[in-house]
Amino acid sequence: MLPVSIQMRILWTLAMGTVFVVLLQYQSSGAWSQQQGQPVARPDLVAEDLVSMALSKVVVDESAGVSRDLLMGISRQIARYVVYSASCSNVGGGVFGNGVSGGGGYGGGPGMTTVEPSTVYVITPTYRRPEQVADLTRLAQTLMLVRDIHWLVVEDSHVKSPHLGVLLQSFGVRYNHLIAPMPERFKKIRGAKPKGVANRNRGLKWIRQNAVEGVVYFADDDNTYDVRLFNEMRNTQKVSMWPVGLCTRTGLSTPIVKNGQLVGFYDGWIAGRKFPVDMAGFAVSVKFLLERPNAQMPYKPGFEEDGFLRTLAPFEPHQIELKADNCTKILVWHTQTKKNEPSLNVDKEKYKNTNILSLKEIIV
Ligand code: UGA
Ligand code: MN
């Protein structure tokens, strides 16, 4: 327990920082920077400068074991957190780090628009292959930039891979590590397999058991996501959709929109589907899903999206909420990582007691 006088100084320091930040929010939300055509102030940097200046005036008794650096560090982090959350919610989306314990920053200084909290549950199927750790790392680095994400990473495996547990822990994104192996009868199929279906249904089961509101999104581990996509889907009431860029000759999978209305679907493969959309092209409200206890994804290659969306009945195409500026923006790409052969075995004797053996544990 720190002496009372030190505790008072810590409190005073934090209070100083907060006062400066609130002052700054007030200024940046008002006459300072919001006039059209005027350059917008960089509230984060200005706030940090102000906080630093305030802290330089604080007298700290270092003999009591509390260093000025520590206090300044803590205060600066608080300032950065508050200012980022405020400035992000002001432009309609929170783009900043997410704590493992959840959190999320919603603005709320004077004159700020408050963004309602709504968790995006991102269900990511994944399986062991040479590209896995690279793909998951890339996806995680995207999710780290988005507020209020809960990542459900579901391995197509009978056991949780320990190295993935360590990897997922390292990102600071709130997550659950789950497993759901593809049923044996499908593994043996020579042609198209229902990839990621067991995983996604496991994710849905977790949501039914643990979530009450928010949005569900199926995000395959090898796609490319713009951070703005997650804030687009955040306020989904039933089911929302948007364009997906494809790296194929069709180039796109998207609702067709005319005069603000859905008039059909553009996709390289319609195949009699009621909802001919890509897995990355829609999100579903958790409440809407919970009202449909039987909704799940069928083990039907090529018809997973359509099959799942049909199980959300009663739900018709005209009820789709169109996102990404009436489907005029591409905020997600169905990229595919090139499949590679596993790496060769290394000579365990030759590399004994070197980093090579532990590095080899990470790669496939
Ligand atoms: C996309 C869809 O995500 C699939 O659901 C769909 O079956 C497929 O298109 C299709 O319509 O052909 P695609 O990019 O072709 O998938 O396939 P992958 O990215 O290889 O797999 C989809 C997801 O399932 C990935 O997140 C992947 O990690 C996972 N997966 C794949 C498994 O968990 N197990 C597997 O054996 C294969
Ligand atoms: Mn893919």
Side-chain angles (χ1 to χ4, degrees):
M1 195 68 189
L2 292 169
V4 174
S5 64
I6 297 298
Q7 285 180 26
M8 288 302 290
R9 283 193 179 122
I10 293 175
L11 279 174
W12 188 85
T13 308
L14 296 181
M16 269 298 265
T18 309
V19 166
F20 272 91
V21 166
V22 170
L23 258 175
L24 179 100
Q25 284 180 359
Y26 182 73
Q27 283 179 303
S28 63
S29 68
W32 242 26
S33 59
Q34 292 299 305
Q35 278 157 18
Q36 285 231 327
Q38 300 253 325
V40 175
R42 294 281 307 280
D44 45 335
L45 294 182
V46 182
E48 275 183 66
D49 288 347
L50 289 175
V51 172
S52 299
M53 199 177 74
L55 291 173
S56 68
K57 308 251 181 292
V58 179
V59 182
V60 179
D61 183 359
E62 299 208 12
S63 64
V66 181
S67 83
R68 166 181 293 274
D69 284 351
L70 177 68
L71 281 178
M72 288 186 56
I74 294 171
S75 306
R76 245 192 237 114
Q77 282 184 38
I78 293 173
R80 207 173 287 165
Y81 185 92
V82 174
V83 173
Y84 267 119
S85 63
S87 61
C88 290
S89 68
N90 205 27
V91 296
V95 179
F96 76 96
N98 221 341
V100 174
S101 56
Y106 320 113
M112 293 281 173
T113 328
T114 304
V115 174
E116 287 301 315
S118 183
T119 301
V120 176
Y121 292 93
V122 176
I123 300 180
T124 299
T126 190
Y127 71 113
R128 186 171 162 80
R129 62 195 191 283
E131 308 81 34
Q132 182 181 33
V133 171
D135 280 345
L136 285 174
T137 301
R138 183 168 45 196
L139 173 53
Q141 306 292 318
T142 302
L143 298 180
M144 283 162 76
L145 296 169
V146 188
R147 72 165 174 90
D148 227 348
I149 289 286
H150 193 130
W151 195 19
L152 301 174
V153 181
V154 193
E155 275 192 80
D156 176 353
S157 166
H158 289 278
V159 287
K160 287 187 204 176
S161 310
H163 74 283
L164 283 196
V166 174
L167 183 76
L168 296 174
Q169 182 83 55
S170 73
F171 299 124
V173 174
R174 197 176 357 147
Y175 74 97
N176 282 82
H177 183 182
L178 306 169
I179 48 171
M182 184 187 289
E184 286 301 324
R185 63 184 188 280
F186 299 118
K187 277 195 181 156
K188 292 183 199 125
I189 296 176
R190 273 192 164 263
K193 292 180 188 172
K195 292 177 284 187
V197 173
N199 325 38
R200 296 190 194 97
N201 283 332
R202 178 66 188 90
L204 292 175
K205 184 177 169 195
W206 187 96
I207 288 188
R208 292 187 192 286
Q209 291 169 342
N210 297 283
V212 286
E213 58 184 6
V215 180
V216 188
Y217 179 52
F218 298 120
D220 288 354
D221 58 1
D222 57 341
N223 290 340
T224 307
Y225 306 88
D226 186 313
V227 290
R228 291 172 293 177
L229 176 69
F230 302 94
N231 293 324
E232 282 290 311
M233 69 178 78
R234 209 179 280 283
N235 69 352
T236 301
Q237 302 300 305
K238 294 184 170 82
V239 177
S240 57
M241 293 192 184
W242 51 81
V244 178
L246 306 176
C247 305
T248 63
R249 285 172 69 84
T250 314
L252 268 180
S253 170
T254 180
I256 306 172
V257 182
K258 195 170 180 180
N259 299 325
Q261 302 288 317
L262 176 91
V263 295
F265 294 93
Y266 186 93
D267 191 282
W269 191 67
I270 300 292
R273 293 188 293 169
K274 181 174 181 177
F275 300 99
V277 296
D278 192 274
M279 194 64 76
F282 64 93
V284 181
S285 138
V286 168
K287 280 197 172 133
F288 190 72
L289 178 80
L290 296 180
E291 287 161 11
R292 286 150 179 79
N294 297 322
Q296 60 168 341
M297 194 165 284
Y299 287 96
K300 211 172 158 191
F303 291 86
E304 294 97 333
E305 300 87 347
D306 187 49
F308 170 69
L309 290 164
R310 282 172 189 257
T311 65
L312 293 177
F315 176 71
E316 293 301 319
H318 73 266
Q319 296 176 287
I320 293 167
E321 296 146 54
L322 304 170
K323 300 292 184 186
D325 281 348
N326 258 336
C327 297
T328 57
K329 291 200 174 113
I330 297 176
L331 299 177
V332 56
W333 296 83
H334 185 156
T335 41
Q336 287 177 308
T337 312
K338 173 180 164 284
K339 293 218 181 316
N340 301 282
E341 291 297 317
S343 59
L344 299 175
N345 290 334
V346 297
D347 185 332
K348 290 212 170 99
E349 268 311 304
K350 183 174 171 191
Y351 294 106
K352 202 168 159 186
N353 298 327
T354 75
N355 59 329
I356 302 303
L357 295 189
S358 59
L359 288 173
K360 182 66 182 150
E361 300 268 302
I362 301 169
I363 61 172
V364 173

